[in-house]
Amino acid sequence: MATRIQPGSLISEHFRKNGDRPALISQVEPALTYADLADQVEDFAARLGSERKLVMLVGRNDPSALIAYLGILAAGSVVLVVPETAAGPDSTLTRTYNPDVVVCVGDSGWEIATRNATSAHDLHPDLALCLSTSGSTGSPKLVRLSYRNLVANAQAIGTYLSLTSDDRAITTLPMYYCYGLSVIHSYLVAGATLLLTNDSVIDKSFWSFFRQHRATSIAGVPYTYELLDQAGFAKMHLPSLRYMTVSGGRLAPAKVKEYAGHARQSGWQLFPMYGSTEATSRMAYMPPELVFDNPECVGVPIPGGSFRLDPMDGLDDDMGELVYRGPNIMLGYAQSPSDLAKGPELDELRTGDIARRKPNGLYQIVGRSARFIKLFGIRIDLQRIESVLESQGLTAVCTGDDEQLVVAIQGRAAVADIRARVAAITNLPAHVIQVVTVDEFPRLGAGKVDYAALRAMGAEATTTESQGDVRDLFAQVLRIPAADVTDDSTFVNLGGDSMSFVTMSVRLEKLLGTLPADWHTKTVAELRTTDRAKPGLWRTVETGIVLRALAILLIVVSHTGLLHAEGGAHFLLAASGYYFARFILSDKPRAERVKHSITTLLRIAVPCLVWIVLVRLTLGTYALSNALFVNRIFGPVNALTLRIWYVEVLVDLLIVAAVVIAIPAFDRLERRKPFQLAIGIALLLLSTRLIPFDVLPHPDLRGLQTVHQWTLFSVFAAFFFAFGWATAKATTNWQRGLISVLVIASLIGYFDPRYFAIARTYECAVFILLLIWLPRMKLPRWIVPAATLVANSSLFIFLTHWQVLELMPRVDAFTLAPGFDYVAIGLSIVTGTLVYLAWDKVSGFLEPRAKQAWEQFRARERVAA
């Protein structure tokens, strides 16, 4: 039988043996030598008392928390290390285990709260530490670890990392995570130094601390390496760095190889590792000299440990379940306080991972066994999920892989409801849970459930829903990583704008079967729980989409001379103001509003600029001032340069709006009185109508001849944008009624009577009134795709239709040859749509990469600063 370790004497003697060597260095507290650490640990142990207790400790990477942790062990008590969120009186762990003492570490030091005057627990003599085995399942299941486990694992890690008292580890992982705690254990056993910080690797203060105290190692999970990429790690000069480790999940082989290459070039070593809480953190490591050529492997067993492969049905002969033996194997699990009295229950650990041993002796993980999976580096107990669902009256079988959890339900069931239940059981995000319903579970010849078939069904369902899942739909339409879309995300706070609104609303209505009211402000979670209707002959579409499509169609028709129904561009200005207020002037912080506004501006201005420059270079039609959107200010003013007036006015209005909303006082006023402010702006711009027209020409495009008059026209047109803004902020019928009256009054006499003033007035008025009073309308299903595409392409159709018209044969300067008006209309719509689709592909490729490059640049700037 192994000799029982006496923790108090071991810790004290070991620390004092290292004397004046530095033990702990933090950013805010004085450094502690090992002798100092011994004194403070003994002091804390004395305050805790000699009676063995179950002590819950909030783990943080600071000296006070670490001293409390070591003091609990030195006192012979059992420590349960938890995040701050799990330490409350109503937490699952607190209610289940009733800790005798709770230690929270505040800024002034330890705060010890005694809950039980005498211990309420029977604690096994070997028990030292309890850690959560599955932080994301919501289960009170704990791993029981002994003093022997802690020391054996720490010594093994120190051996293969060749730790000495000269090493310095900077903390990058939480103390309550077994990987982070293993770094602490191994360094203290080696008499090395811990640099304690809670900063992230993307914080400049982290790297300042790293360089100041010459850290020699960095430990990270796969996500840490993503952050290191953002921080520009590859270009950093870190002469003190000796090695890096990675564990806690699978790091892609390509990324392993990339960092192994950095290690070769810079003279440090990379140690990919493999482990679990049940093995006190570590079971295998990759010898650094083999990493570059074997990036897919987890390596060899740690010193003192061994592996074997147990055959499994359906696997190749060289594969099997990986089984580990070693002195670091846990005592066993605990699911209730009575389990804390149990001694060792295991002599080997069945990892549940499917592995193969390569000819060079390295082990490679190739999959998961059927009864649990790992998502986000967290083990998910499939049997527990099945048991909970069974208690709710459901017959379920669970399986999955590293990508998703598949839950098969026998019989009829509401998929959305089951997904929500499983998300509540596991605390997993709903998008990684795939629910399928079956009449009978598929089975193999021997009668066992065919898990592979269920996984295939889940994959097929995922493929079917790839454009249907709300989260994926948001990511696709808004061109952002799916990881950035959470259950709390909305279309507005993710940066949705009028350009993406059309596609999003139509595809969402197709997915859900109905378009919820105010869908753009509803969270992903709320949209997911919407009852999905079966598709019918009619579909609900936002009125603004239909009107945008109709307006651009009437613009093209009018410019061919087939029918004079002008004023569509004026409505498009109103629609732009409507969407600006609806999506940008949301409840986001001012900085986010400004950022969103600039993004929207660029998405409109950049394609306009590209097209204008292209036409200028090839046809010579437009002036340089058109490309800069200042033609109405600097000229030259003629029939050619004025025909894209709508684009210029829209871009300039968006520039002014972005500047104005950045003003703090304006931002505060807009939040307090959104409708009143919008109406005030509209009335201010509308007041320009009071200028006597016997002095200035009528404010119609064709009546303008001078730059001064053209500038005046752009001011007159701006009130359409303001009316759209006010429409979006109207929340009551009297507010909508007020806007309606103002719209009708403002349009009387607005258009030049020489150019179909009545028709243009009616068209503008009807379009804006529909936007005010009819937010949605029903259309036949077959019309919706075409209307959506035309609405999406409206800006590009406006830009390109002028060049299409130039190609048409004419009777005179103003009239197309007979029969070519219909050709011109069709060709204009097709050309603009094709240009839009091409631009959408190009921008869809470039935009995410530009964002990523910008974020990496900002991260490097923060680090350099």
Side-chain angles (χ1 to χ4, degrees), residues 417-694:
D417 177 60
I418 302 301
R419 181 181 279 122
R421 294 192 199 188
V422 176
I425 295 169
T426 62
N427 280 336
L428 286 172
H431 72 269
V432 300
I433 301 169
Q434 184 59 260
V435 179
V436 296
T437 58
V438 295
D439 293 329
E440 296 287 343
F441 296 122
R443 297 188 182 275
L444 301 170
K448 295 182 179 179
V449 173
D450 188 347
Y451 292 103
L454 289 179
R455 286 192 291 272
M457 292 171 64
E460 182 180 357
T462 299
T463 301
T464 303
E465 292 181 3
S466 62
Q467 292 187 344
D469 181 80
V470 175
R471 176 178 178 273
D472 291 339
L473 187 58
F474 272 57
Q476 291 168 16
V477 173
L478 298 177
R479 296 171 180 168
I480 57 179
D484 291 350
V485 185
T486 68
D487 282 349
D488 294 329
S489 299
T490 68
F491 178 78
V492 171
N493 67 29
L494 287 174
D497 55 24
S498 60
M499 303 291 283
S500 53
F501 162 77
V502 175
T503 301
M504 187 68 208
S505 64
V506 171
R507 289 181 60 179
L508 187 63
E509 192 272 345
K510 182 179 180 181
L511 165 65
L512 302 179
T514 184
L515 195 63
D518 298 324
W519 65 266
H520 61 291
T521 59
K522 290 185 179 294
T523 66
V524 168
E526 290 171 334
L527 291 172
R528 271 213 180 99
T529 57
T530 301
D531 292 332
R532 304 195 181 195
K534 292 183 179 180
L537 297 177
W538 296 80
R539 289 181 60 182
T540 303
V541 182
E542 291 259 355
T543 300
I545 296 174
V546 180
L547 295 180
R548 279 173 64 175
L550 188 57
I552 192 62
L553 182 61
L554 290 177
I555 288 172
V556 174
V557 170
S558 296
H559 290 166
T560 63
L562 180 65
L563 174 69
H564 290 283
E566 302 181 6
H570 297 80
F571 167 74
L572 289 178
L573 282 177
S576 297
Y578 174 77
Y579 292 124
F580 174 85
R582 193 177 180 191
F583 301 137
I584 295 176
L585 299 183
S586 61
D587 58 357
K588 296 178 292 189
R590 179 166 54 91
E592 286 299 311
R593 281 182 166 189
V594 174
K595 178 182 176 182
H596 194 169
S597 179
I598 293 173
T599 301
T600 299
L601 169 64
L602 291 176
R603 286 175 177 168
I604 293 174
V606 171
C608 292
L609 173 63
V610 171
W611 184 258
I612 292 170
V613 170
L614 181 63
V615 172
R616 168 70 178 172
L617 294 177
T618 56
L619 302 178
T621 304
Y622 299 135
L624 177 62
S625 57
N626 286 122
L628 299 177
F629 308 106
V630 292
N631 176 256
R632 73 196 187 286
I633 299 174
F634 298 104
V637 175
N638 56 57
L640 295 179
T641 60
L642 291 185
R643 63 190 187 184
I644 54 173
W645 69 270
Y646 158 70
V647 167
E648 183 169 341
V649 171
L650 175 60
V651 170
D652 288 346
L653 283 172
L654 290 175
I655 292 173
V656 172
V659 172
V660 169
I661 66 175
I663 301 172
F666 184 92
D667 181 75
R668 291 192 296 270
L669 180 59
E670 197 283 328
R671 292 177 192 275
R672 288 197 301 269
K673 302 289 184 181
F675 176 76
Q676 292 86 339
L677 178 62
I679 282 293
I681 293 173
L683 291 174
L684 177 65
L685 295 172
L686 191 58
S687 66
T688 57
R689 290 291 314 275
L690 300 176
I691 298 173
F693 293 119
D694 57 348

Side-chain angles (χ1 to χ4, degrees), residues 262-304:
H262 295 332
R264 282 183 174 181
Q265 294 175 1
S266 303
W268 47 272
Q269 296 178 314
L270 177 65
F271 288 85
M273 305 186 300
Y274 167 76
S276 70
T277 309
E278 289 85 345
T280 326
S281 176
R282 201 62 54 232
M283 289 183 279
Y285 75 98
M286 271 292 292
E289 65 274 12
L290 303 178
V291 174
F292 190 83
D293 295 323
N294 302 274
E296 74 286 354
C297 293
V298 298
V300 297
I302 64 173

Side-chain angles (χ1 to χ4, degrees), residues 178 199 202 386 394 425 467 499 516 604 760 785 799 851:
C178 66
D199 288 342
I202 62 171
E386 293 172 0
L394 297 166
I425 295 169
Q467 292 187 344
M499 303 291 283
I604 293 174
R760 298 172 80 174
L799 286 171
K851 288 181 179 178

Side-chain angles (χ1 to χ4, degrees), residues 684-739:
L684 177 65
L685 295 172
L686 191 58
S687 66
T688 57
R689 290 291 314 275
L690 300 176
I691 298 173
F693 293 119
D694 57 348
V695 177
L696 295 171
H698 207 281
D700 181 78
L701 178 60
R702 295 178 182 174
L704 299 174
Q705 297 175 350
T706 69
V707 174
H708 173 71
Q709 295 160 358
W710 173 231
T711 303
L712 183 64
F713 171 79
S714 67
V715 175
F716 285 159
F719 74 79
F720 287 95
F721 185 91
F723 277 145
W725 180 340
T727 299
K729 294 301 180 180
T731 57
T732 64
N733 285 338
W734 79 263
Q735 290 176 340
R736 297 183 185 96
L738 176 61
I739 301 172

Side-chain angles (χ1 to χ4, degrees), residues 137-153:
T137 65
S139 168
K141 189 175 184 179
L142 300 177
V143 168
R144 297 180 289 117
L145 299 172
S146 68
Y147 302 104
R148 180 170 178 260
N149 293 153
L150 304 184
V151 174
N153 199 241

Side-chain angles (χ1 to χ4, degrees), residues 4-12 70 72-77 125 128 147:
R4 183 165 294 154
I5 295 173
Q6 301 298 321
S9 58
L10 183 149
I11 292 173
S12 180
L70 295 169
I72 296 167
L73 293 178
S77 287
Y147 302 104

